[in-house]
Amino acid sequence: MIPIVDTHQHLWDLSKFRLAWLDPNTDAGKILGRNFTPKEYEEATRGLNVVKAVYMEVDVVPEQQQAEADYIIALCESGKTPTCAAVVSGRPAADNFAAYVRQFKDHKYVKGLRQVLHVKDTPPGYCLQPAFIRGIRLLGELGLSFDLCIRPAELPDYVKLIDQCPHTRFILDHCGNADLKHTREQREKWKKDMAEIAKRKHIVCKVSGFLASAPKRGEWKLEDVADIVHHTLDVFGPDRVMFGGDWPVCLLGVEKYADWVNALKEVIRDRPEEVQRKLFHDNAVKFYGLPK
């Protein structure tokens, strides 16, 4: 069994952190509105050979960003769980961003930052404002990456951002948030835009997350998953893709973590074993500089 590095692990304890986006009155809130800790992660991944995990920030309220970073660094330092690195929260356009982010230069565990950009209060074109671009360029100067979690229709804007930040490494989350509810026309536009963004060599892509866009949990077809996965692998190539579990958010589309892993394995089973190993393990170790 190929060892797995999960490059997109969420954890949260609602007694410690406030997630303003989590509405308990929605279907999503009913699924996700409880604690998901290392203990639950261990149970969810049991038997799947998940050997390492990279924590991904969970969009806590801004005043808790430092506390979240401190929490996950301590977890990495403990060595008691698969979590061995982290992407923490930050707001690149904020006035205090430079002072905040400099603490992570050459950090053993913090590898990059993310701001979720597909939320309703983030207007189109937000990523192209000068203050945001300055913040992203600073990440490159500090040796930190930036995760792009975006609306798929705005991929062209992020091509412009990437071109203006040639020394920053980018990770495109969730196959550019490909949507299983897309019309054929929307899917074709996504394919075109993905091919264009993939031409930039300082961006890699996480094969993750998009199953959460299913109309309801379990309402997806393997051929639709395959269409998204194969296009992503083809345009980015075998050396610039990484597996991400997106647990527990993936539970919006699947009953359990293993359903996503097994679906992806089925989709790529005819690809060479070397390519499969790069996707599930080797590329993440290399990109994040993880311990072997």
Side-chain angles (χ1 to χ4, degrees):
M1 185 183 293
I2 294 174
I4 293 175
V5 176
D6 182 351
T7 65
H8 208 95
Q9 173 208 47
H10 297 303
L11 302 168
W12 59 72
D13 181 338
L14 297 180
S15 70
K16 296 179 179 179
F17 297 106
R18 188 161 75 88
L19 311 182
W21 55 269
L22 194 57
D23 183 349
N25 297 314
T26 64
D27 290 341
K30 291 172 184 175
I31 293 171
L32 301 177
R34 59 185 176 90
N35 292 342
F36 292 92
T37 72
K39 179 179 181 292
E40 284 81 22
Y41 185 77
E42 180 184 8
E43 294 169 354
T45 58
R46 186 170 294 141
L48 297 175
N49 204 21
V50 176
V51 296
K52 300 180 193 304
V54 178
Y55 172 83
M56 172 56 61
E57 64 92 21
V58 296
D59 201 20
V60 297
V61 292
E63 58 267 28
Q64 290 188 324
Q65 288 174 355
Q66 186 66 55
E68 180 192 26
D70 294 342
Y71 161 76
I72 202 63
I73 290 167
L75 183 66
C76 292
E77 288 175 338
S78 76
K80 295 179 179 179
T81 75
T83 308
C84 61
V87 173
V88 299
S89 181
R91 300 291 184 269
D95 292 340
N96 65 344
F97 182 70
Y100 167 73
V101 75
R102 289 187 189 280
Q103 67 182 302
F104 303 122
K105 180 177 174 17
D106 299 323
H107 200 283
K108 182 176 181 180
Y109 300 112
V110 175
K111 306 297 183 177
L113 275 82
R114 183 177 79 156
Q115 176 182 356
V116 176
L117 295 165
H118 59 66
V119 292
K120 59 184 178 182
D121 57 349
T122 303
Y126 177 87
C127 70
L128 298 177
Q129 60 178 300
F132 190 88
I133 293 170
R134 282 196 301 272
I136 300 299
R137 286 174 174 168
L138 177 59
L139 290 177
E141 294 170 16
L142 299 175
L144 296 164
S145 62
F146 187 72
D147 272 64
L148 296 171
C149 195
I150 65 178
R151 290 177 281 258
E154 293 167 24
L155 279 164
D157 280 348
Y158 290 91
V159 169
K160 296 175 184 176
L161 171 69
I162 292 165
D163 285 345
Q164 293 183 69
C165 304
H167 303 298
T168 302
R169 296 191 304 166
F170 292 89
I171 304 99
L172 182 62
D173 291 350
H174 308 335
C175 298
N177 272 323
D179 195 323
L180 288 168
K181 299 184 293 294
H182 269 168
T183 65
R184 178 173 295 185
E185 182 181 5
Q186 288 172 320
R187 179 64 56 80
E188 289 306 312
K189 182 181 186 306
W190 169 84
K191 287 183 175 181
K192 178 183 176 182
D193 292 341
M194 282 287 282
E196 183 61 30
I197 203 167
K199 293 176 183 177
R200 280 73 191 163
K201 300 306 180 185
H202 54 301
I203 183 170
V204 300
C205 188
K206 285 182 186 173
V207 179
S208 62
F210 63 84
L211 274 178
S213 70
K216 289 186 179 179
R217 181 189 272 185
E219 289 191 5
W220 48 269
K221 297 178 180 178
L222 191 65
E223 54 263 37
D224 291 334
V225 174
D227 187 45
I228 292 168
V229 170
H230 284 310
H231 183 70
T232 299
L233 298 184
D234 289 344
V235 297
F236 276 90
D239 297 315
R240 292 195 292 138
V241 289
M242 303 183 293
F243 166 77
D246 195 31
W247 180 91
V249 181
C250 66
L251 300 179
L252 299 179
V254 294
E255 291 289 338
K256 56 186 184 298
Y257 187 107
D259 293 343
W260 163 228
V261 173
N262 292 332
L264 182 55
K265 286 184 175 181
E266 176 63 22
V267 166
I268 66 169
R269 64 185 175 88
D270 292 331
R271 291 187 180 250
E273 183 178 346
E274 178 188 11
V275 171
Q276 296 182 41
R277 189 179 179 94
K278 285 181 175 182
L279 172 63
F280 276 111
H281 181 274
D282 294 358
N283 289 345
V285 170
K286 182 178 180 181
F287 183 86
Y288 288 112
L290 302 181
K292 294 184 178 181

